């Protein structure tokens, strides 16, 4: 077994957390082809993405309390096993309705990785240390979405869209073995919580009414929703509208992921001299700039791959700086119920993202205008949540020293 504070433990947790972006990003190049194969329109195929996010959101509300009661490892292993079985079901789907069903089940299991990965980091580290570790973890796990669309495009070209889900199932099995035999249980026995309904309701009420938690969670949710708007619309915009080849989609997608990694690494470097909320504000301003540029270009009729990808990459630099700070800040006040706090955080994040993704699919008009406009609005909403809530109710140790006087 590895030490909990080992970098290899962080890498294993990143592998579990990466299951979420892998399940969304790997099949993006296949969305148009899946629509053709299953006789489904863009709105129905995009709904498989939003349903996944909805299932992901709901499952976390149960996953977190179960992990607070029984520990992180057993719940994570059970969830990943369900993800494996549902992935095989997706691969065997013969119509869009059955694909939607298995995608929802896939989400129920896949939620265990991210929600319990965040909780484990909070178990192991203090809030300020956790912000730095989450930025490192995010940089590591960003390698998954960087290669996922390219790998998905290759699998699509060589074996068809079903092979993408077989590969996802195989990845889940590997992660199960690594988690089971690679790391000890990170949760202290004394922090176990009761599963009684009254206790759960009390815990969620306490978490959900904490103004600091609300501020960081909404800031995160809107920033993540901007990313999800791109995930939901990019394959149709880049492949169908702008005409890039499906197997080249991953190369353009990697540009966006590179921006995210740059943001993560910038946050780690700035963390040596700035507190998390100062890093957070800088990231939000960068995201607003990227989203606004993309929307402005689309509104003036400038349609090209780079009119989408350059602003989106800038947007992702800001997101890479923003997400680790908000994750750690939201969990800072709840060391003894990190699973439940992480669950509610993830539920709100995924619920907002699912609604935004469905909106992009419903309003899609065949150009990049809707996607770009939604990304810009999400960036502005994230900045507003920060200014109205986070600045007034910062997490302990996250605010500049003079702000606490």
């Amino acid at each position: 077994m590895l030490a909990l504070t080992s970098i290899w433990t962080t890498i294993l947790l990143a592998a579990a957390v990466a299951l979420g972006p892998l399940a969304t990003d790997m099949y993006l190049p296949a969305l148009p082809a899946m629509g053709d194969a299953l006789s489904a329109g863009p709105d129905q195929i995009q709904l498989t993405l939003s349903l996944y996010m909805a299932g992901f959101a709901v499952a976390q509300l149960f996953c977190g309390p179960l992990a607070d009661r029984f520990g992180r490892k057993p719940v994570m292993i059970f969830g990943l096993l369900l993800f494996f079985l549902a992935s095989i079901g997706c691969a065997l789907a013969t119509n869009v309705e059955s694909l939607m069903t298995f995608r929802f089940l896939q989400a129920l299991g896949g939620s265990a990785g991210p929600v319990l990965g965040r909780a484990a980091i909070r178990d192991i580290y203090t809030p300020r240390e956790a912000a730095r570790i989450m930025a490192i973890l995010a940089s590591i796990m960003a390698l998954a979405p960087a290669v996922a669309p390219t790998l998905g495009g290759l699998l699509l070209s060589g074996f068809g869209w079903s092979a993408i889900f077989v590969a996802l199932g195989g990845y889940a099995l590997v992660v199960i073995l690594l988690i089971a035999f690679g790391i000890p249980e990170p949760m202290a026995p004394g922090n176990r919580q009761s599963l009684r309904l009254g206790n759960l309701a009390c815990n969620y009420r306490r978490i959900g009414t904490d103004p600091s938690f609300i501020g960081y969670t909404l800031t995160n949710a809107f920033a993540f929703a901007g990313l999800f708007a791109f995930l939901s619309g990019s394959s149709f915009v880049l492949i169908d509208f702008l005409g890039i080849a499906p197997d080249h989609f991953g190369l353009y997608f990697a540009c966006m992921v590179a921006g995210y990694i740059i943001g993560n690494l910038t946050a780690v470097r700035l963390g040596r001299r700035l507190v998390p909320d100062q890093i957070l504000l800088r990231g939000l301003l960068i995201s607003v700039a990227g989203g606004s540029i993309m929307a402005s270009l689309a509104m003036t009729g400038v349609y090209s791959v780079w009119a989408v990808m350059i602003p989106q990459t800038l947007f992702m630099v800001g997101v890479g700086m923003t997400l680790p700070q908000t994750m750690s800040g939201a969990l800072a006040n709840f060391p003894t119920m990190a699973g439940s706090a992480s669950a509610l955080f993830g539920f709100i994040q995924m619920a907002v993202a699912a609604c935004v993704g469905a909106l992009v699919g419903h309003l899609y008009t065949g150009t990049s205008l809707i996607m770009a406009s939604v990304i810009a609005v999400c960036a502005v909403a994230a900045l507003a949540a920060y200014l109205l809530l986070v600045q007034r109710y910062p997490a302990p140790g996250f605010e500049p020293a003079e702000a606490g006087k």
Side-chain angles (χ1 to χ4, degrees):
M1 290 283 181
L2 298 169
L4 285 175
T5 54
S6 165
I7 185 61
W8 291 107
T9 298
T10 301
I11 291 173
L12 289 185
L13 291 174
V17 175
L19 196 64
L22 275 175
T24 55
D25 300 343
M26 189 178 287
Y27 91 134
L28 292 179
L31 291 182
M34 289 168 64
D36 293 338
L38 300 176
S39 301
D43 56 335
Q44 289 179 299
I45 290 298
Q46 284 178 312
L47 193 57
T48 67
L49 195 57
S50 291
L51 277 175
Y52 179 87
M53 302 304 284
F56 210 95
V58 172
Q60 292 183 78
L61 293 178
F62 300 94
C63 180
L66 286 171
D68 280 343
R69 175 65 182 88
F70 298 109
R72 314 304 185 204
K73 281 182 62 174
V75 178
M76 188 180 294
I77 290 170
F78 178 82
L80 295 179
L81 183 59
L82 176 59
F83 180 94
F84 163 74
L85 295 174
S87 296
I88 301 304
C90 289
L92 299 176
T94 56
N95 55 64
V96 71
E97 290 78 15
S98 60
L99 179 63
M100 288 179 184
T101 300
F102 283 117
R103 280 289 285 173
F104 187 79
L105 293 174
Q106 193 184 41
L108 297 185
S111 67
V115 69
L116 300 185
R118 290 191 299 264
I121 293 297
R122 182 61 186 92
D123 291 334
I124 300 168
Y125 298 97
T126 65
R128 282 200 65 175
E129 290 173 335
R132 182 178 62 86
I133 295 299
M134 283 185 180
I136 295 173
L137 182 147
S139 298
I140 296 169
M141 82 175 216
L143 296 175
V147 302
T150 299
L151 179 58
L154 293 173
L155 289 170
L156 173 66
S157 299
F159 305 99
W161 63 266
S162 296
I164 295 173
F165 292 103
V166 173
L168 286 171
Y171 178 87
L173 280 181
V174 173
V175 174
I176 288 171
L177 294 174
L178 291 174
I179 295 297
F181 300 106
I183 62 173
E185 171 60 50
M187 181 182 179
N191 287 344
R192 295 185 185 272
Q193 300 287 314
S194 169
L195 276 179
R196 288 181 298 179
L197 186 60
N199 188 67
L200 293 180
C202 181
N203 286 349
Y204 273 133
R205 182 170 63 251
R206 177 185 164 192
I207 297 166
T209 56
D210 183 272
S212 178
F213 174 86
I214 295 171
Y216 286 104
T217 300
L218 288 180
T219 302
N220 177 284
F222 288 125
F224 185 79
L227 163 60
F228 194 72
F230 180 81
L231 297 181
S232 182
S234 60
S235 59
F236 292 96
V237 169
L238 295 178
I239 296 173
D240 284 355
F241 175 52
L242 297 175
I244 70 169
D247 54 346
H248 292 167
F249 177 83
L251 299 176
Y252 293 99
F253 196 87
C255 295
M256 181 201 74
V257 176
Y260 183 69
I261 294 174
I262 290 170
N264 292 153
L265 296 178
T266 300
V268 173
R269 185 175 181 84
L270 291 177
R272 299 189 181 100
R273 59 185 180 86
L274 299 178
V275 296
D277 278 2
Q278 293 173 317
I279 302 171
L280 177 55
L281 177 58
R282 286 161 172 76
L284 290 169
L285 292 174
I286 292 171
S287 289
V288 169
S292 299
I293 292 170
M294 191 195 307
S296 298
L297 290 172
M299 288 177 183
T300 55
V302 179
Y303 295 128
S304 74
V305 171
W306 298 114
V308 172
M309 291 311 307
I310 291 177
Q312 180 64 20
T313 300
L314 181 62
F315 173 84
M316 290 303 297
V317 171
V319 171
M321 296 173 65
T322 297
L323 296 191
Q325 319 309 317
T326 54
M327 291 176 190
S328 185
L331 273 58
N333 288 334
F334 308 101
T336 63
M337 56 181 81
S340 296
S342 180
L344 187 57
F345 172 90
F347 170 79
I348 295 171
Q349 179 195 61
M350 296 299 177
V352 172
C355 292
V356 167
L359 182 67
V360 171
H362 180 71
L363 298 178
Y364 178 66
T365 58
T367 73
S368 60
L369 178 59
I370 296 299
M371 182 186 76
S373 299
V374 170
I375 290 171
V377 169
C378 287
V380 172
L383 179 61
Y386 170 84
L387 295 175
L388 295 175
L389 291 170
V390 172
Q391 280 198 331
R392 294 181 62 189
Y393 307 103
F398 271 39
E399 74 282 2
E402 61 270 18
K405 295 181 181 180

